Amino acid sequence: MDSARSPIRTICCIGAGYVGGPTMAVIADRCPHIQVTVVDLNVERIDAWNDPDLARLPVYEPGLDAVVGRARGRNLHFTTEVDGAIAAADMVFLSVNTPTKTRGVGAGQASDLRWIEASARQVAAVARGHTIVVEKSTLPVRTAEAVKAILGAAQQNGSGPANGETKTFSVLSNPEFLAEGTAIGDLESPDRVLIGGEDASAIECLAGIYATWVPDERILRTNLWSSELSKLTANAYLAQRISSINSIAALCEATGADVREVGRAIGTDSRIGSRFLQAGPGFGGSCFQKDILNLVYLCRHYGLEEVAAYWEQVVTLNTWQQDRIARMVVQRLFGTITGKRLAVLGFAFKADTNDTREAPAIRICRELIEEGARLVIVDPKVSSAQIAADLGQPPSAAEGGWQVAASPLEAATGADAVLILTEWREYARLDWDAIGAVMRRPAWLFDARAIADADAARAAGLNVWRVGEG
Ligand code: UDX
Ligand code: ADP
């Protein structure tokens, strides 16, 4: 079925975040005949999505401004009028946040499903006629069951609109595989689209929308649970590769090998593949850690202790990598950084995003602050307010404080060390002669992404540590 044959004409997406916003923008762009309304309770966020200045969208994602610019006001709308948009929709996407629980049963591992439940209840209350409900948030396996139960109760109640019309629902799982920073390319040309469900006609309605621009052989249909579990598994596999290469990076540093050479050597094996072999300060982002912890929780729930322990180690290694980098910085700076100025380049969890969720920079900076350093942080897209929220303290020039600077050069002025924590392209082209000239000696470059021109930094008189280089 192509989209012209899909009966879906109105979509509502609950949640205007990093997933909902870009995904709906691309659907609206590719399917001009479908009205797409993205709703959120967060007024500020919706206002930012409606900002006439496309440079001020709440999500920074290369290419997103152009897509939103084409579709917004035509068939892409952002609003806080949640009920109206749900009532009008043939299809509702649930794209709300599902962070790891901070308290109660499963704290630290299970996902907090309160926003999913709240939005499912809202759909149950105000939807009209037949509505296809699509899980888009990353969810633990069997969440669709809860969503179905809530919607099923509304169905049985017959708590339909006043005219006596009955409401019915189909629930689908359609996990998102986009990576931040490349979201638009990932959405426009996905490796695959995964649709899980039991209602074949609902599956084809959603498949028909994607078929507008995605070849049919890339649209995979599975049962609900396989679809949910595939998302967790994909993220666990990807994260596992990063922990694996970071573990080898530590061994390279101890033995004199170079992790980039090892990565290149193993990556040419087509069974291994060359991607996701970059050693660094550990993975961040809203998905990897959360999804692995979900998997661990699920395995424990089913009594699979060895399986749980196996995946848990991926997260343990990731945290260790961050701790080890912070400790190494202290140790190389003569065992103390109290009062020392350290320039931190990059705070986002990866390049080309303004997202800092689970960013390795947060943990590393907190540890350096704990040691009494004076941090001067630069990031091209992360605001000072976001850094304050992540570090849990306002900016200050005091010992154990942090401030922002406008440029790497300004941050490095008077600093004992420069730390690169995010692989922003501009950090590959830094002018080390200029930076070296304004630093206090002996000066250090700690390059946790191995992106800087290490030879130029050495030539400028800096001592250099690069992740994975022995
Ligand atoms: C990830 C998945 O890639 C995506 O499919 C899923 O939908 C959401 O989670 P994302 O977290 O946005 O996407 O970015 P990704 O590119 O996967 O990077 C995750 C983290 O791993 C980043 O901190 C990145 O710096 C790190 N990373 C990635 C490495 O350290 N080395 C690598 O080789 C690749
Ligand atoms: P993701 O990365 O999964 O997109 P975000 O946290 O960026 O996660 O976005 C999720 C959005 O969902 C937030 O903007 C939040 O305000 C919104 N949200 C959560 N619950 C509801 C709800 N019941 N109704 C509308 N929006 C909601």
Side-chain angles (χ1 to χ4, degrees), residues 13-21 23-24 40 93-97 116 119 134-137:
C13 173
I14 306 182
Y18 284 89
V19 171
T23 309
M24 292 303 126
D40 205 298
F93 286 80
L94 304 181
S95 193
V96 299
N97 34 329
I116 276 286
S119 46
V134 185
E135 290 179 357
K136 197 76 189 159
S137 319

Side-chain angles (χ1 to χ4, degrees), residues 262-387:
V262 175
R264 208 163 49 240
I266 66 167
T268 50
D269 185 325
S270 59
R271 293 168 302 176
I272 295 176
S274 61
R275 300 179 65 192
F276 269 70
L277 289 176
Q278 292 295 325
F283 55 78
S286 69
C287 283
F288 283 177
Q289 176 164 316
K290 181 183 80 176
D291 285 356
I292 294 179
L293 293 177
N294 254 319
L295 197 59
V296 169
Y297 184 71
L298 200 66
C299 293
R300 293 231 157 91
H301 174 80
Y302 288 103
L304 300 168
E305 179 52 40
E306 286 72 12
V307 185
Y310 174 74
W311 288 108
E312 197 164 35
Q313 194 57 26
V314 173
V315 174
T316 304
L317 197 291
N318 196 54
T319 310
W320 174 80
Q321 176 77 346
Q322 295 166 20
D323 292 345
R324 130 181 138 80
I325 289 174
R327 279 197 307 270
M328 184 271 308
V329 168
V330 176
Q331 182 229 322
R332 304 238 169 164
L333 295 177
F334 310 111
T336 173
I337 54 170
T338 306
K340 287 181 181 166
R341 180 176 166 112
L342 307 182
V344 174
L345 309 193
F347 201 81
F349 82 95
K350 62 184 278 193
D352 291 325
T353 180
N354 60 344
D355 195 349
T356 61
R357 286 177 291 179
E358 306 295 338
I362 298 174
R363 193 177 178 91
I364 294 173
C365 287
R366 279 176 179 249
E367 292 185 17
L368 299 174
I369 284 173
E370 186 63 33
E371 293 282 338
R374 297 176 204 267
L375 301 185
V376 188
I377 303 172
V378 196
D379 188 287
K381 291 291 172 192
V382 178
S383 68
S384 164
Q386 186 60 51
I387 297 173

